[in-house]
Amino acid sequence: MKKYIKTITAVFAAFCVFLFSAAAATQSSFEGSNCAINLTYNESAAPGDAIIIRMTLKSREHRKVTQDTIAMAELLKKKKKIDSSLFFFINPKAKRQNTQELLAYVPLSSWLGNDEYALKIIYTAFGSDPEEFILPFTLSEKQFSEEIVELDGQNTEIKTDTTPAHVAQIEKLNTILETVEPSDVYSTKSFISPVNSTRRTSDFGSRRTYKYVSGKTSSTIHYGIDFGVPEGTVVSACGDGRIVMAENRISTGLSVVIEHAPGLYSLYYHLHSLNVKEGQFVKQGDKLGLSGSTGLATGPHLHWELRLNMCAVSPDFFMTDYAYTKQSVN
């Protein structure tokens, strides 16, 4: 498979963040009708990253907490909602002190462009009526690469496969990735690389044009990172989680999918062999299998991908302290 790559610049806003690092955390405080609210979130992020909001609510009434908070974060574009995510609970023990701690992950599509953005937080705390407030947010500039990928006959056949079996596999995966279970919180710490290699043959978010043997073309976005590693390289879990898929697929070959948090999944494609089974719980660094070249691939490599609420997001962003576990949160 031949690739021709050039760098293109997608200009989205006037502010930049350092490549492969999360934006600096911003802290804000609000007064609700029956609680005090402290938030930590990244006020600026790039297309393909995410907005991570950590919210702590402290009840003013010194009594046992009997009702959980329900909260949602909405991404606004010119005051119109374009995406949203529910908050989920972390640190359940905090409830003993009339405190509730929550996280929300809002994905930022790599297609987002320069515009006016903001965040709206809507919540019902400790049984109160719904309340809301607005947080400022700025989309940063990011560079993406452009690739032309020439496919041979075998890979052309895989890429253009519309058989019922292939369609069923796509629908099954989508059903898994669109599942958001608030109680499934297995990890909020920084992810690690799934392989012991820094050699990347394709980056997240690259704009791809596929050339088929027929002369036709199609365009898409590369949803993950390709690591150019030899066949038989150990592939490890990037974080704690539950195996929700471990099977052979037409386009991605031997594949593994791990659920890490509500709506957050990691995917590992084109493996040579699997070392895990569906339903199994894994820890960060556990062996998932060995890299290979199964499915749509003409050479051994690992495709590593992250999905958040179905949206493909940058793995590099989640290799930082994205949930502020090492920062002081009031």
Side-chain angles (χ1 to χ4, degrees):
M1 180 165 56
K2 298 180 180 178
K3 299 180 183 178
Y4 303 89
I5 306 173
K6 64 179 181 179
T7 300
I8 58 174
T9 302
V11 179
F12 298 99
F15 301 99
C16 298
V17 291
F18 293 107
L19 190 62
F20 304 154
S21 66
T26 297
Q27 295 194 347
S28 299
S29 298
F30 295 87
E31 291 296 325
S33 60
N34 63 356
C35 67
I37 304 171
N38 290 303
L39 297 107
T40 302
Y41 80 107
N42 48 324
E43 190 175 350
S44 176
D49 289 346
I51 306 168
I52 311 297
I53 309 157
R54 184 164 183 153
M55 183 164 66
T56 302
L57 301 98
K58 180 76 172 179
S59 175
R60 294 196 187 91
E61 299 182 17
H62 297 288
R63 56 184 175 81
K64 185 178 179 181
V65 174
T66 59
Q67 193 163 359
D68 281 342
T69 296
I70 300 173
M72 175 175 288
E74 296 183 348
L75 177 62
L76 307 180
K77 179 180 178 181
K78 291 183 176 178
K79 300 182 180 180
K80 181 180 180 181
K81 183 178 75 172
I82 60 172
D83 210 334
S84 63
S85 290
L86 285 170
F87 280 82
F88 58 90
F89 285 91
I90 55 175
N91 191 16
K93 294 181 181 179
K95 292 182 183 179
R96 298 173 184 172
Q97 289 77 42
N98 284 5
T99 299
Q100 295 182 349
E101 293 186 81
L102 305 94
L103 275 173
Y105 301 162
V106 183
L108 295 170
S109 169
S110 56
W111 284 115
L112 288 178
N114 183 28
D115 223 313
E116 177 186 338
Y117 295 93
L119 288 168
K120 179 191 285 187
I121 308 301
I122 306 170
Y123 67 97
T124 299
F126 307 109
S128 70
D129 291 332
E131 299 178 80
E132 62 183 54
F133 53 87
I134 299 293
L135 296 172
F137 177 74
T138 302
L139 197 67
S140 306
E141 177 183 314
K142 188 169 184 177
Q143 290 186 334
F144 294 102
S145 61
E146 187 176 82
E147 303 176 344
I148 298 175
V149 183
E150 293 186 355
L151 301 180
D152 59 17
Q154 178 180 344
N155 283 316
T156 293
E157 184 176 350
I158 294 175
K159 182 65 178 172
T160 57
D161 187 344
T162 58
T163 61
H166 193 196
V167 172
Q169 288 182 352
I170 294 172
E171 291 176 349
K172 178 180 178 180
L173 178 60
N174 286 340
T175 298
I176 290 173
L177 298 180
E178 68 186 8
T179 300
V180 180
E181 177 50 62
S183 63
D184 290 351
V185 185
Y186 305 115
S187 177
T188 58
K189 67 180 181 180
S190 306
F191 287 160
I192 62 172
S193 176
V195 292
N196 187 22
S197 174
T198 58
R199 180 173 178 261
R200 301 184 179 192
T201 54
S202 189
D203 289 323
F204 165 80
S206 61
R207 276 49 176 167
R208 279 188 171 181
T209 298
Y210 286 100
K211 284 189 174 182
Y212 306 124
V213 290
S214 63
K216 294 182 179 181
T217 63
S218 65
S219 298
T220 186
I221 285 184
H222 189 232
Y223 287 156
I225 296 171
D226 285 349
F227 290 96
V229 292
E231 183 170 305
T233 299
V234 173
V235 176
S236 304
C238 66
D240 298 355
R242 180 171 65 95
I243 305 295
V244 292
M245 177 180 283
E247 63 183 44
N248 194 17
R249 305 178 72 244
I250 293 171
S251 60
T252 60
L254 289 173
S255 307
V256 174
V257 180
I258 305 175
E259 179 189 26
H260 299 285
L264 181 61
Y265 298 85
S266 62
L267 302 85
Y268 312 77
Y269 289 163
H270 312 297
L271 302 182
H272 173 72
S273 61
L274 301 181
N275 197 55
V276 291
K277 296 181 180 180
E278 185 176 326
Q280 178 180 340
F281 289 90
V282 293
K283 292 292 187 180
Q284 186 176 73
D286 283 354
K287 180 180 177 181
L288 303 177
L290 300 177
S291 66
S293 56
T294 55
L296 203 166
T298 58
H301 73 284
L302 172 69
H303 173 94
W304 179 41
E305 183 176 324
L306 294 186
R307 292 291 191 98
L308 176 58
N309 298 348
M310 288 289 287
C311 182
V313 289
S314 171
D316 287 307
F317 177 86
F318 286 87
M319 292 176 74
T320 66
D321 183 26
Y322 63 90
Y324 322 116
T325 60
K326 299 178 183 178
Q327 300 184 41
S328 175
V329 180
N330 297 325

